[in-house]
Amino acid sequence: MNVSINNGTNQPSFRLFQESSTLKSIRIFSFACIFVIGFLGNLLTMIAARRRRLQNVTNMFIANLGLADFTVSVVNIPLNIGQASLGYWPYGFTMCKVAPYLQGTTVCASIGMLVAIATERFLVIVRPIKYKLTSRHAHAIVGVIWIFSFIVPVPVLVFSQLVTANVEGKAYSGCVEIWPVRSLQTAYQMFLFLALFLWPMLTISVMYVLMEKALRSAEWLKRGNYRCSNQQKILQYNIFLSRVRVSQGFGGTREQRENIVGNKGT
């Protein structure tokens, strides 16, 4: 069964559709694979981030990203498997409210953490002297992202409704959003498109383009074989530091720092 909203009356309408057993099996198998990979991958990410030598600003963002994706794997994917298998919403009124809200919250948090990770990498590589994120800053940013993530999907929590109808002599339930005014739903969807897709995509793209230019500049300085200023040396070190953090999760040894930065005046 498929539940949709009639654009003219803003009321739910019901229609039955037949799905072959092959397509249903493929759908369930795909959801199951996503669940296992998401569950194990994000769980291991969160466990690894708790290790003392891996506790830095970048990994703090990655751990919270893993938490958001882990919630999707544990809550939303099993519900989707059941709904896809049965063809209707079997979980009742409370889950009709909670499940879409949690899905919206975790999506917002995931996007926010991706922007935070890109911003932190951008500051390390492109603005290593002027800006530096500390653990205190990172905790504040994570808190703001989660607060924002809990607020944005509140309309979904309010307007999600469980609707029931008799189709061909049987009672079916569906979980849909029923807004009092169609224009409000359109405005909210436009806000979601701008805040959760367009702005993050443009922001992350611009920052990675600038990082790529900085990396190319550092490679050119390395090949130039001439004496660099202290600022240029610090830029080279921060580029190295970002690579080490991404691949190994730590900030480099004293010998590595000395080899890159060098002594003043050399």
Side-chain angles (χ1 to χ4, degrees):
M1 183 191 72
N2 186 37
V3 184
S4 60
I5 297 296
N6 186 290
N7 291 334
T9 63
N10 201 35
Q11 295 297 321
S13 60
F14 297 81
R15 67 178 185 270
L16 290 174
F17 67 95
Q18 298 295 328
E19 184 180 35
S20 67
S21 58
T22 301
L23 290 178
K24 183 179 292 186
S25 300
I26 293 175
R27 185 199 300 267
I28 295 173
F29 177 75
S30 300
F31 274 127
C33 291
I34 295 173
F35 170 79
V36 172
I37 295 173
F39 179 87
L40 294 178
N42 290 296
L43 180 62
L44 292 175
T45 298
M46 291 187 292
I47 293 175
R50 293 179 60 87
R51 301 179 63 178
R52 181 174 298 274
R53 74 181 186 89
L54 297 180
Q55 292 180 358
N56 53 47
V57 173
T58 303
N59 288 339
M60 187 182 302
F61 294 141
I62 293 176
N64 280 271
L65 176 62
L67 174 61
D69 293 339
F70 179 81
T71 305
V72 173
S73 301
V74 172
V75 177
N76 296 105
I77 293 180
L79 296 180
N80 288 333
I81 292 177
Q83 185 180 13
S85 301
L86 299 174
Y88 62 93
W89 183 263
Y91 305 112
F93 175 79
T94 301
M95 291 305 298
C96 179
K97 291 283 188 178
V98 173
Y101 174 74
L102 283 179
Q103 184 176 11
T105 299
T106 53
V107 168
C108 291
S110 296
I111 295 173
M113 296 305 166
L114 290 174
V115 174
I117 292 171
T119 302
E120 195 270 340
R121 293 295 85 205
F122 171 81
L123 296 178
V124 168
I125 294 175
V126 182
R127 296 287 187 268
I129 300 176
K130 190 173 182 180
Y131 301 103
K132 182 180 179 181
L133 288 180
T134 63
S135 296
R136 184 176 181 181
H137 296 150
H139 281 98
I141 293 172
V142 168
V144 170
I145 291 174
W146 278 108
I147 292 174
F148 177 79
S149 301
F150 281 111
I151 293 175
V152 168
V154 167
V156 177
L157 176 66
V158 174
F159 297 120
S160 292
Q161 300 292 334
L162 184 68
V163 293
T164 305
N166 290 321
V167 180
E168 298 182 357
K170 294 183 179 180
Y172 293 95
S173 298
C175 183
V176 295
E177 293 180 32
I178 302 179
W179 290 67
V181 181
R182 185 68 177 179
S183 59
L184 288 179
Q185 184 179 14
T186 302
Y188 179 68
Q189 290 173 345
M190 181 59 65
F191 165 75
L192 293 180
F193 171 76
L194 296 175
L196 301 182
F197 176 75
L198 186 61
W199 175 77
M201 181 187 67
L202 293 177
T203 301
I204 293 175
S205 298
V206 169
M207 286 191 292
Y208 274 104
V209 167
L210 295 177
M211 282 188 280
E212 191 270 343
K213 290 183 178 180
L215 291 171
R216 285 183 176 273
S217 176
E219 293 296 328
W220 177 76
L221 288 172
K222 184 186 296 185
R223 293 193 301 266
N225 194 23
Y226 63 87
R227 297 170 63 182
C228 300
S229 65
N230 288 335
Q231 183 174 357
Q232 291 168 337
K233 293 177 181 179
I234 294 175
L235 172 61
Q236 291 182 13
Y237 165 64
N238 279 279
I239 293 171
F240 163 79
L241 181 62
S242 68
R243 292 171 175 171
V244 172
R245 283 178 175 173
V246 169
S247 61
Q248 300 180 5
F250 64 94
T253 63
R254 179 178 300 177
E255 291 77 9
Q256 290 170 328
R257 292 193 294 268
E258 290 177 352
N259 290 336
I260 294 175
V261 180
N263 296 323
K264 184 177 181 180
T266 60

